[in-house]
């Protein structure tokens, strides 16, 4: 596996892979790789793609300077993991390579509606930063397929909408969330948890699960959210949001929509100490039969 740092070298490598008749599979990341990222590499390999990963901690998507400063940077360990997973090429640019005209003079991409509320509400500007860097990376890598983890459900929805609206010529593949044995979604931010907090952390998944179970039994959304919020607080979390939305476009939902048998998603974000954890569960509700 080669590691390259410049857009010019990246384009040369991609051209060579294309000449060899390969499809390009792309896995964009911010590094500090875990099993969830490796499952994205495996999904690309399964499609017989020439697999390109990127590692770039994108300052444009951080609305908090401290959060950006302490985001874990573990390039050497990441390279080993990517090599073992069979990744073909790693693109690891620095900030100057990605934003040569300066971050504040960068043309940005805004994806309306689907980027509003949820994480977009709590982290102003976050999805503009994500959409902008992903557009730039897509233009650099020119992938046939790009792989994203479903843990970041809203991010996947934003990217799908952007690809559709801007006629980008690639397929977005969403890969199921990788979880620890107790249900906790794998995330680079889990590294911020103390041993004691790590034991409590699966309460977020349990809270989402209790909501989806309750929805299957046609309990009221407001009641389910109230109980789940209380259980999170009891487990030491400070909840940010817990919501039930339509899974396709993340539009708001009410109890009357629950009779239709359509796909819904329960999304949550909550602070546990210094870690802001997010997770979601999507389900198709059984049709109600009296
Ligand atoms: O999910 C991430 O790690 C980042 O948001 C992404 C997609 C690599 C863009 O910086």
């Amino acid at each position: 596996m080669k590691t390259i740092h410049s857009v010019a070298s990246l384009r040369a490598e991609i051209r060579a892979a294309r000449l060899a008749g390969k499809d390009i599979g792309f896995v964009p990341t911010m590094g500090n790789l875990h099993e969830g990222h490796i499952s994205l590499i495996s999904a690309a390999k399964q499609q017989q793609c020439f697999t390109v990963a990127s590692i770039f901690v994108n300052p444009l998507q951080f609305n908090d300077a401290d959060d950006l400063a302490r985001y874990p940077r573990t390039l050497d360990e990441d390279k080993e993991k990517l090599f073992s997973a069979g990744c073909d090429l790693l693109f690891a640019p620095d900030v100057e390579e990605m934003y040569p005209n300066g971050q504040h003079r960068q043309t940005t991409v805004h994806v309306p509606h689907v980027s509003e509320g949820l994480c977009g509400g709590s982290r102003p500007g976050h999805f503009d930063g994500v959409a902008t860097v992903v557009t730039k990376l897509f233009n650099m890598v020119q992938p046939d397929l790009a792989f994203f983890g479903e843990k970041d459900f809203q991010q996947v929805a934003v990217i799908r909408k952007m690809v559709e609206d801007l006629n980008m010529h690639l397929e977005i593949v969403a890969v199921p969330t990788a979880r620890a044995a107790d249900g906790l979604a794998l995330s680079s931010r889990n590294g911020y948890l103390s041993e004691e907090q790590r034991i409590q952390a699966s309460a977020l998944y349990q809270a989402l699960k209790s909501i989806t179970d309750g929805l299957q039994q046609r309990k009221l959304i407001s009641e389910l959210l109230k109980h789940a919020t209380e259980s999170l607080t009891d487990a030491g979390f400070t909840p940010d949001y817990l919501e039930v939305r339509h899974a396709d476009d993340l539009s708001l939902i009410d109890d009357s929509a629950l009779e239709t048998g359509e796909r819904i998603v329960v999304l949550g974000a909550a602070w546990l100490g210094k870690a802001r954890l997010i997770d979601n569960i999507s389900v198709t509700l059984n049709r109600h039969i009296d």
Side-chain angles (χ1 to χ4, degrees):
M1 182 189 78
K2 267 194 198 168
T3 300
I4 51 174
H5 304 282
S6 77
V7 180
S9 324
L10 173 67
R11 289 199 196 281
E13 294 291 337
I14 299 285
R15 205 175 312 122
R18 286 228 176 270
L19 280 174
K22 302 274 189 180
D23 279 347
I24 310 297
F26 179 42
V27 179
T29 82
M30 296 206 299
N32 195 234
L33 304 180
H34 51 67
E35 277 307 311
H37 297 108
I38 299 307
S39 73
L40 305 181
I41 301 288
S42 305
K45 299 293 294 175
Q46 260 168 28
Q47 303 282 333
Q48 318 288 328
C49 289
F50 179 80
T51 302
V52 182
S54 64
I55 294 182
F56 177 62
V57 182
N58 174 33
L60 229 54
Q61 71 188 72
F62 285 79
N63 57 321
D64 174 342
D66 290 343
D67 190 20
L68 171 63
R70 74 189 170 126
Y71 199 85
R73 283 134 171 113
T74 51
L75 188 61
D76 289 340
E77 291 94 316
D78 292 346
K79 275 189 200 171
E80 275 172 31
K81 290 179 186 167
L82 289 171
F83 174 72
S84 307
C87 180
D88 296 300
L89 182 67
L90 169 61
F91 177 50
D94 62 15
V95 174
E96 284 67 40
E97 187 69 10
M98 285 302 286
Y99 299 118
N101 299 322
Q103 292 165 56
H104 303 294
R105 293 170 157 248
Q106 171 64 47
T107 301
T108 56
V109 180
H110 175 68
V111 183
H113 303 299
V114 74
S115 66
E116 287 152 22
L118 304 168
C119 286
S122 315
R123 303 181 67 190
H126 170 67
F127 286 117
D128 290 358
V130 170
T132 301
V133 79
V134 171
T135 298
K136 285 172 73 83
L137 289 166
F138 283 176
N139 285 334
M140 293 167 184
V141 176
Q142 305 257 310
D144 299 285
L145 298 148
F147 298 82
F148 293 87
E150 264 181 357
K151 181 180 74 71
D152 298 298
F153 198 93
Q154 189 176 16
Q155 170 168 281
V156 177
V158 167
I159 289 166
R160 281 195 196 286
K161 180 74 169 38
M162 175 184 88
V163 164
E164 186 187 340
D165 284 355
L166 298 182
N167 303 88
M168 293 178 174
H169 191 57
L170 80 159
E171 189 186 327
I172 301 300
V173 182
V175 176
T177 304
R179 296 185 181 281
D182 64 354
L184 176 68
L186 300 190
S187 165
S188 303
R189 292 178 189 272
N190 295 350
Y192 300 155
L193 299 171
S194 68
E195 251 173 62
E196 197 189 328
Q197 287 165 342
R198 172 61 193 84
I199 294 165
Q200 294 295 84
S202 67
L204 178 56
Y205 174 70
Q206 301 306 335
L208 300 180
K209 184 89 182 47
S210 73
I211 298 171
T212 48
D213 290 349
L215 290 171
Q216 295 284 19
Q217 297 156 23
R218 296 298 178 273
K219 294 193 178 155
L220 285 177
I221 295 176
S222 53
E223 287 298 309
L224 293 168
L225 294 179
K226 186 166 163 277
H227 284 129
T229 305
E230 281 165 9
S231 67
L232 272 182
T233 310
D234 290 347
F237 278 88
T238 305
D240 178 352
Y241 64 77
L242 278 178
E243 290 201 37
V244 183
R245 299 262 184 141
H246 291 278
D248 53 351
D249 60 359
L250 290 182
S251 57
L252 294 165
I253 207 161
D254 59 28
D255 292 295
S256 61
L258 297 181
E259 296 299 319
T260 61
E262 74 175 286
R263 198 150 182 79
I264 55 117
V265 59
V266 182
L267 307 110
W271 288 91
L272 188 55
K274 288 191 212 130
R276 182 177 177 278
L277 304 182
I278 63 171
D279 200 354
N280 67 83
I281 302 179
S282 59
V283 282
T284 304
L285 295 177
N286 303 322
R287 283 181 193 280
H288 188 70
I289 301 167
D290 288 317

